[in-house]
């Protein structure tokens, strides 16, 4: 097991390093010169050179990349002589637009994205599992077909279209929900909650649909297994057959997939946060892309990769702890 | 099947199983949902192919401004109810500019279909080739291909696509979109092709072909590949809606097709600031987009059911 964990952690670090390298190369090669951008309109060649030197942009590619990595692990210094600025680890540089430390910008917004993501995850797990169980119990009946129709709809409507439609119906026409605005939780919890209802729903609906299908398929598969038939044959009450024998094997895979989807949520939050104007990491990414704010884009890309890789590893380790068969063949 | 003898095969039709392509087609023709989906997809394809003709019929081209259809005093809100739907503008006009929405939908179908189908074609080729190679040769080749696939699947694809597209110049966006979507898309097909190839290559008919001296290329392409046909068919039908959605999503975020080239996702993006005043502006492209994705998804489900009648998932 130790060997397996070490192996996985090494693989994870390699992937993260490669993500780092690729993003860095792409921005290094493709982006317009950031020094010109920062300098603005009334700019002299001297000033541009000075900015380049301060940010380390005059160095060759490899040096710059190594400096970036150094900043990530032990922090780094910007500038030279008297005007040295220290950026503590994990240093992701300074925003070209606002001159803020990128790490701080992300840390400020991470809690907001966490609220969006956790709320959506709770919603889709509940809806998906309950919907899937109902479909499986009523297989082939009206309820099953109705839910199947709903899930197909939920999977095919793009989330930004759904966001606009829901906002139009519930905010503009029916006025059941307030117009979305940033209200701190401490000021007015009820208002805060109402604001998040639509983003949670929009983000959750696609996942809820695919989890419903998955739960249904898994439960039906499990009900066909020999151990369930044995339990029924020995005269166990139907509800106990469900609770003791059928549910756990049917739901374990769903919980693990939920782990991976949750880790990958930053990408989905990007659209939802942009549409609803929620000031989370997703919106930060969208904004920095339109402003071509390289350090911020790099940071968000790295963060998203970090979550995905860590999430996958956590799920794998969890799975191999639950089911020893997985370990065989994966350790080498 | 490595002996070419048409007479033998024709003489024994009872033994030879029915051509899977034909049986899938037969099953689909009897399925009204699949027929409806095919009809809608066919309609969108026709729209895309004959876009210039259709636009001539409806009278407005997608780039033409119509100041007489909007109210400049109200910031460019379309005149008339339902977003300016009239005999002149069949699906209304774009607020602000007065461009004909019907024409833009027709031309948008072109972009959506071209990009989605292009990306599907490229991912299919990449996925099948790499999957076959990794699965058949195994060993070091397999290890390299599998590592690359793992890496690509661990990548935060959407954020990375946005970052790359935003850094690249805006001309020839459609090719870039196809390329970027495909780079991150092929591992999902390759993974399945690889797994199936690994089990297929141990089967007796492959063994027999190998014993009779068939070359490696022949083994892979004429013995193994035909057996993957139904898997590939299902995966491809299910991949198209994903790519349509990705293209629309990227255009929605402003890194896909750039205006004035019409695209459904970008139409929805520009409707964001108008949604409360002119709801038809997002409803029309939204409905076309959602229906197209739905049609491909239902079709994919039905194809899977036709290919594998016992399967439940």
């Amino acid at each position: 097991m130790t060997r397996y964990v070490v192996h996985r952690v090494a693989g994870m670090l390699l992937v993260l390093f490669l993500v780092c390298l690729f993003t860095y190369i792409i921005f290094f090669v493709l982006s317009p010169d950031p020094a010109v951008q920062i300098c603005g309109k009334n700019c002299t060649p001297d000033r541009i050179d000075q900015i380049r030197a301060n940010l380390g942009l005059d160095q060759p590619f490899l040096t710059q990349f190594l400096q970036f990595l150094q900043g990530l692990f032990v922090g780094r210094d910007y500038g030279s002589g008297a005007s040295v600025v220290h950026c503590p680890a994990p240093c992701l540089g300074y925003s070209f637009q606002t001159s803020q430390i990128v790490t701080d910008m992300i840390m400020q917004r991470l809690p907001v994205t966490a609220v969006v993501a956790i709320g959506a995850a709770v919603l889709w797990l509940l809806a998906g599992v309950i919907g899937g169980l109902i479909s499986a119990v009523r297989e082939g009946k009206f309820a099953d077909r109705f839910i199947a129709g709903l899930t197909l709809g939920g999977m095919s409507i793009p989330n930004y279209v759904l966001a606009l439609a829901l906002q139009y119906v519930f905010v503009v026409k029916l006025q059941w929900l307030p117009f979305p605005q940033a209200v701190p939780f401490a000021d007015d919890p009820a208002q805060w909650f109402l604001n998040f209802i639509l983003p949670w729903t929009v983000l959750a609906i696609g996942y809820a649909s695919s989890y419903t299908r998955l739960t249904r398929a898994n439960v039906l598969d499990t009900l066909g297994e020999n151990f369930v038939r044995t339990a029924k044959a020995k005269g166990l009450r139907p509800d106990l057959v469900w609770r003791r024998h059928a549910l756990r094997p049917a739901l374990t895979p769903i919980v693990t997939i939920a782990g991976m989807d949750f880790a990958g949520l930053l990408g989905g939050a990007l659209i939802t946060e942009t549409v609803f104007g929620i000031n989370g990491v997703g919106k930060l990414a969208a904004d920095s892309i339109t402003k071509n704010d390289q350090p911020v884009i790099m940071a968000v890309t790295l963060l998203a990769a970090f979550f995905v890789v860590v999430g996958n590893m956590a799920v794998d380790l969890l799975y191999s702890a639950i089911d020893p068969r997985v370990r065989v063949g994966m350790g080498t | 099947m490595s002996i070419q003898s048409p007479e033998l095969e024709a003489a024994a039709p009872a033994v030879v199983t029915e051509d899977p392509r034909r049986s899938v087609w037969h099953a689909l023709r009897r399925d009204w949902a699949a027929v409806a989906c095919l009809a809608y997809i066919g309609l969108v394809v026709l729209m895309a192919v004959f876009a210039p003709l259709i636009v001539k019929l409806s009278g407005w081209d997608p780039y033409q401004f119509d100041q007489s259809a909007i109210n400049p005093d109200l910031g460019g809100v379309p005149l008339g109810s339902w977003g300016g739907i009239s005999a002149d503008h069949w699906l209304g006009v774009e607020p602000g500019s007065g461009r004909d929405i019907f024409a833009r939908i027709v031309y948008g179908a072109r972009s959506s279909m071209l990009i989605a189908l292009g990306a599907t074609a490229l991912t299919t080729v990449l996925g099948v080739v790499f999957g076959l190679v990794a699965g058949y040769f195994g060993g070091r080749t397999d290890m390299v291909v599998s590592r690359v696939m793992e890496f690509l699947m661990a990548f935060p694809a959407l954020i990375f696509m946005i970052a790359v597209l935003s850094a690249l110049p805006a001309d020839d966006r459609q090719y870039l979109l196809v390329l970027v979507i495909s780079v991150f898309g092929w591992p999902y097909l390759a993974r399945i092709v690889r797994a199936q190839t690994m089990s297929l290559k141990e089967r007796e008919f492959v063994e027999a072909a190998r014993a009779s001296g068939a070359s490696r290329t022949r083994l892979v392409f004429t013995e193994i590949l035909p057996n993957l046909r139904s898997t590939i068919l299902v995966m491809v039908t299910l991949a198209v809606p994903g790519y349509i959605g990705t293209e629309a999503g990227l255009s929605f975020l402003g890194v896909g097709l750039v205006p004035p080239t019409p695209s459904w996702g970008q139409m929805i993006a520009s409707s964001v600031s108008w949604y409360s005043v002119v709801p038809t502006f997002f409803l029309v492209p939204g409905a076309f987009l959602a229906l197209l994705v739905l049609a491909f998804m239902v079709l994919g489900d039905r194809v899977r059911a036709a290919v594998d009648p016992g399967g439940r998932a």
Side-chain angles (χ1 to χ4, degrees):
Chain A
M1 190 69 194
T2 324
R3 219 185 103 108
Y4 177 56
V5 174
V6 170
H7 196 83
R8 284 301 316 236
V9 172
M12 181 185 101
L13 289 176
L14 182 69
V15 169
L16 283 178
F17 174 76
L18 288 175
V19 171
C20 233
L21 185 66
F22 274 93
T23 348
Y24 210 87
I25 291 175
I26 281 169
F27 285 111
F28 188 85
V29 176
L30 297 174
S31 266
D33 192 344
V36 180
Q37 270 190 327
I38 297 167
C39 199
K41 277 181 197 160
N42 307 318
C43 203
T44 56
D46 286 353
R47 178 99 184 89
I48 289 185
D49 286 343
Q50 196 194 339
I51 292 174
R52 273 202 195 120
N54 281 346
L55 290 173
L57 294 174
D58 51 348
Q59 309 282 337
F61 171 76
L62 204 61
T63 324
Q64 277 195 45
F65 182 62
L66 288 178
Q67 273 176 349
F68 178 80
L69 286 183
Q70 184 205 343
L72 209 52
F73 290 108
V74 293
R76 64 187 277 198
D77 293 325
Y78 280 100
S80 54
S83 58
V84 171
V85 194
H86 181 68
C87 172
C91 173
L92 291 158
Y94 286 84
S95 161
F96 289 165
Q97 295 291 328
T98 60
S99 309
Q100 274 177 296
I101 294 182
V102 174
T103 316
D104 289 354
M105 290 169 82
I106 286 181
M107 283 307 162
Q108 269 169 13
R109 287 149 183 259
L110 210 51
V112 182
T113 301
V115 168
V116 175
I118 292 170
V122 169
L123 204 61
W124 92 55
L125 273 175
L126 277 178
V129 169
I130 292 172
L133 284 177
I134 294 175
S135 299
V137 175
R138 315 281 308 162
E139 190 193 358
K141 306 264 174 53
F142 174 75
D144 182 25
R145 294 207 194 144
F146 182 71
I147 291 177
L150 280 187
T151 55
L152 271 174
M155 284 165 83
S156 39
I157 187 159
N159 46 12
Y160 41 92
V161 177
L162 186 71
L164 289 175
L166 288 180
Q167 197 148 315
Y168 181 72
V169 172
F170 291 107
V171 179
V172 179
K173 278 283 145 180
L174 297 174
Q175 305 202 333
W176 289 356
L177 293 170
F179 198 80
Q181 53 204 333
V183 181
F185 178 73
D187 290 5
D188 189 350
Q191 181 77 16
W192 175 88
F193 185 78
L194 287 180
N195 274 329
F196 275 111
I197 288 181
L198 286 185
W200 282 335
T201 314
V202 167
L203 195 53
I205 218 134
Y207 291 106
S209 304
S210 55
Y211 280 50
T212 304
R213 297 177 123 205
L214 204 65
T215 310
R216 178 181 182 274
N218 277 353
V219 169
L220 288 179
D221 276 352
T222 317
L223 287 182
E225 296 264 7
N226 286 335
F227 63 84
V228 173
R229 203 170 42 185
T230 311
K232 276 187 200 156
K234 76 179 184 191
L236 199 64
R237 288 204 331 257
D239 59 313
L240 286 181
V241 173
W242 277 88
R243 266 191 289 165
R244 287 210 193 136
H245 297 278
L247 277 187
R248 189 193 286 214
L251 295 186
T252 317
I254 290 162
V255 175
T256 49
I257 293 172
M260 281 191 240
D261 281 340
F262 184 73
L265 213 53
L266 209 53
L270 199 139
I271 290 180
T272 311
E273 286 182 0
T274 317
V275 176
F276 287 106
I278 300 168
N279 239 340
V281 181
K283 184 141 187 305
L284 180 70
D287 290 347
S288 59
I289 284 162
T290 43
K291 289 177 197 147
N292 200 17
D293 196 347
Q294 285 175 37
V296 183
I297 306 177
M298 281 243 11
V300 177
T301 312
L302 265 182
L303 187 72
F306 178 76
F307 281 141
V308 170
V309 172
V310 170
N312 282 353
M313 194 186 72
V315 165
D316 274 1
L317 292 182
L318 201 73
Y319 222 99
S320 69
I322 299 170
D323 187 350
R325 282 173 301 182
V326 178
R327 252 174 281 162
V328 182
M330 280 185 92
T332 46
Chain B
M1 289 269 261
S2 58
I3 306 161
Q4 304 286 316
S5 83
E7 299 95 332
L8 246 179
E9 280 179 37
V15 186
V16 176
T17 46
E18 206 183 338
D19 183 355
R21 267 175 304 184
R22 274 183 62 194
S23 68
V24 167
W25 180 237
H26 274 294
L28 285 184
R29 267 208 326 218
R30 263 173 269 140
D31 183 341
W32 67 267
V35 171
C37 294
L38 275 172
Y40 180 73
I41 294 168
L43 187 77
V44 175
V45 170
L46 285 180
M47 243 164 61
V49 172
F50 296 109
L53 269 177
I54 296 172
V55 163
K56 271 217 181 77
L57 267 177
S58 71
W60 293 92
D61 86 273
Y63 305 105
Q64 202 176 348
F65 287 35
D66 183 6
Q67 297 295 342
S68 65
I70 51 171
N71 185 350
D73 297 332
L74 286 173
V77 173
L79 290 169
S81 51
W82 295 99
I85 291 182
S86 63
D88 217 15
H89 297 286
W90 297 350
L91 291 175
V93 292
E94 213 178 57
S97 67
R99 286 188 290 210
D100 187 54
I101 290 185
F102 177 75
R104 293 185 71 75
I105 288 280
V106 169
Y107 270 85
R110 229 174 206 202
S111 338
S112 286
M113 286 310 247
L114 270 181
I115 289 170
L117 294 182
T120 308
L122 196 55
T123 42
T124 308
V125 171
L126 287 175
V128 169
V129 168
F130 281 113
L132 276 174
V133 166
Y136 186 79
F137 294 105
R140 189 157 295 188
T141 326
D142 180 33
M143 206 195 75
V144 172
V145 175
S146 297
R147 279 292 132 82
V148 173
M149 295 197 311
E150 270 171 39
F151 170 63
L152 285 174
M153 290 198 283
F155 229 72
L158 183 67
I159 291 188
F160 194 75
M161 279 191 228
I162 296 168
V164 171
L165 287 169
S166 70
L168 289 165
D171 31 285
D172 290 338
R173 261 295 157 75
Q174 54 272 49
Y175 305 113
L176 280 177
L177 277 168
V178 169
L179 200 69
V180 171
I181 294 174
S182 304
V183 165
F184 289 102
W186 68 266
Y188 296 91
L189 175 62
R191 192 171 51 165
I192 289 168
V193 170
R194 171 182 169 267
Q196 295 212 346
T197 309
M198 281 165 78
S199 78
L200 277 173
K201 76 173 178 190
E202 307 297 341
R203 296 268 290 273
E204 288 87 353
F205 66 92
V206 181
E207 193 66 50
R210 193 180 295 133
S212 69
S215 69
R216 271 180 175 177
T217 348
R218 197 188 155 81
L219 279 179
V220 171
F221 287 101
T222 61
E223 300 295 326
I224 293 178
L225 187 58
N227 287 287
L228 294 169
R229 207 157 42 195
S230 47
T231 309
I232 296 170
L233 182 65
V234 172
M235 289 295 290
V236 164
T237 342
L238 288 173
V240 181
Y243 299 144
I244 294 174
T246 311
E247 182 274 320
L250 290 171
S251 296
F252 174 80
L253 288 166
V255 295
L257 293 176
V258 275
T261 314
S263 134
W264 293 352
Q266 173 215 311
M267 285 173 80
I268 299 166
S270 44
S271 74
V272 169
S273 43
W274 296 93
Y275 80 92
S276 59
V277 197
V278 197
T280 47
F281 190 27
F282 78 84
L283 278 177
V284 171
F288 270 97
L289 179 60
L291 277 180
L292 187 60
V293 175
L294 180 70
F296 270 109
M297 256 187 345
V298 173
L299 187 66
D301 267 5
R302 297 306 165 130
V303 170
R304 177 153 55 187
V307 164
D308 172 25
R312 245 176 196 149

